Each structure stands twice: as C-alpha cells, then as structure tokens.
Amino acid sequence: MTAPMEEEYGSQAEWAVWFARCGIPVFPVKISKDDPEKPDKTNKRPLTRNGHNDASTDEAQIRAWWSRWPDAAIGGSLGAVGMFAVDVDVTDGAAGPDTLADLEAEFGKLPETVRVLTPSGGEHIWLKGGGVTSRNGWRPDIDIKGAGGWVVLPGSVSPLGVYDFEIFDFGDGPVLVAGGNFGAAGGVPARSVAAWDGTSWSPIGGGI
C-alpha cells in the first residue's frame, strides 16, 4: 500500500484507486472558481448522477470515471468506513484554527492522526467515529464531514492548488501519515492509520 507520489504516477486517477484499495469509496468531483469577487472560494460539485451515493471501491468503475473526467478531483466517503473529518476553514478570514484551539484547550488535544492540508490553507483532520454524521457549522468555521457527507481527498487538484497530506515529524524524521479502512500497511499491522517514511510503513500507536 504505497501512496502514488508525484515522481512515480501521481495522477488523480491513481490516487483515487489507491484510496479505494485502502477501503475508502471514491467518486469524481469538479472544483471550480465561479466568483471573481471571492478569489479564495471554490465550488465543489460531484460529477456522478447521485453524488457521494455513487462512491465506489471498484477499480474498474473508478478508472472508467477518470477516463471520462481525467481532471476530476477525488471525493471520498469517510463515513462509509467509520471515519469522519473535522473541516477547519480559513477561507475569507474564517477563524477555524482559533475555534479548534479553543476546543482543544477545553477538551484536550486531538490524537495523532491523518491531517490533510487544503489549498486555501485550512485542514481536514481525520478521526475514527462510526455513525458521526455530517454537520455544517458544527462550531464557528468548523464543519463535520462524516456519514451522509464527503470530503475532497489528498491528491486532488483545485484552481487554488493541491490537497495534500500533512507531513509530520514524531522525532525520527519526517513521515507521511495515511488513513483508511485497513488492518495492515505494506505487510505491517496497522489499525486504520500508518506512517510512510519513504521506505517503509509503520503503525502509529494503537491506531484509530
């Protein structure tokens, strides 16, 4: 389970297939900038008839979609694999990071997990939580993307840039953290989250 790095074959189609192999159902999405007065704002529209309800892990279906829409970004249904994302917004001066800091000061730090940097400067924080439903405006400038909703996955390209995994350093050098519905990464036992150091996979704690 090696992530499709850009120097190898990092097309959006290959990222979509990789996530499907991790167990996350995916579907194609169009991201566009439609309002010239809001340069940091994008619109995200599923390209399939039933949107995230069409999400699939079937490789043949995924390759057919990206053959039809080769520039499509990747939508993912985290709720389908018992996960959700905390969507921290900074668009147009939104104060999502301040809200998150206040919540962590009150309830404690979030665990080490997958974090995705969005092109606008925000982030999606992936957490385990079966049955957590999507909710816009859960807290000021923070949305929840879980059951009944979807997120844009890493490897996706938008007019503002690329959705990318955040790189961490836990003391032994930089690693990429990836998540999905899996029990092993590269043959190494890992429960839903693992770290890639450019050579091998390793588990992160007890997983999520």
Side-chain angles (χ1 to χ4, degrees), residues 108-133:
K109 289 286 187 180
L110 290 173
E112 294 172 350
T113 186
V114 179
R115 290 180 181 242
V116 178
L117 301 177
T118 70
S120 65
E123 64 178 343
H124 298 160
I125 305 168
W126 294 15
L127 297 167
K128 196 77 169 181
V132 176
T133 57

Side-chain angles (χ1 to χ4, degrees), residues 1 19-25 80-83 128 179-184 190-193:
M1 191 182 74
F19 280 112
R21 290 174 179 173
C22 290
I24 299 175
V81 291
M83 302 176 72
K128 196 77 169 181
N181 185 25
F182 55 82
R191 189 162 62 91
S192 298
V193 62

Side-chain angles (χ1 to χ4, degrees), residues 63-145:
R63 292 195 181 279
W65 280 332
W66 265 268
S67 177
R68 180 177 180 182
W69 298 296
D71 296 326
I74 311 148
S77 297
L78 296 183
V81 291
M83 302 176 72
F84 67 97
V86 178
D87 182 357
V88 183
D89 190 16
V90 297
T91 306
D92 294 331
D98 293 334
T99 300
L100 179 63
D102 290 342
L103 289 169
E104 289 189 312
E106 182 176 356
F107 299 106
K109 289 286 187 180
L110 290 173
E112 294 172 350
T113 186
V114 179
R115 290 180 181 242
V116 178
L117 301 177
T118 70
S120 65
E123 64 178 343
H124 298 160
I125 305 168
W126 294 15
L127 297 167
K128 196 77 169 181
V132 176
T133 57
S134 292
R135 183 175 174 183
N136 291 329
W138 175 69
R139 292 290 189 277
D141 301 318
I142 290 183
D143 299 332
I144 300 296
K145 304 297 185 181

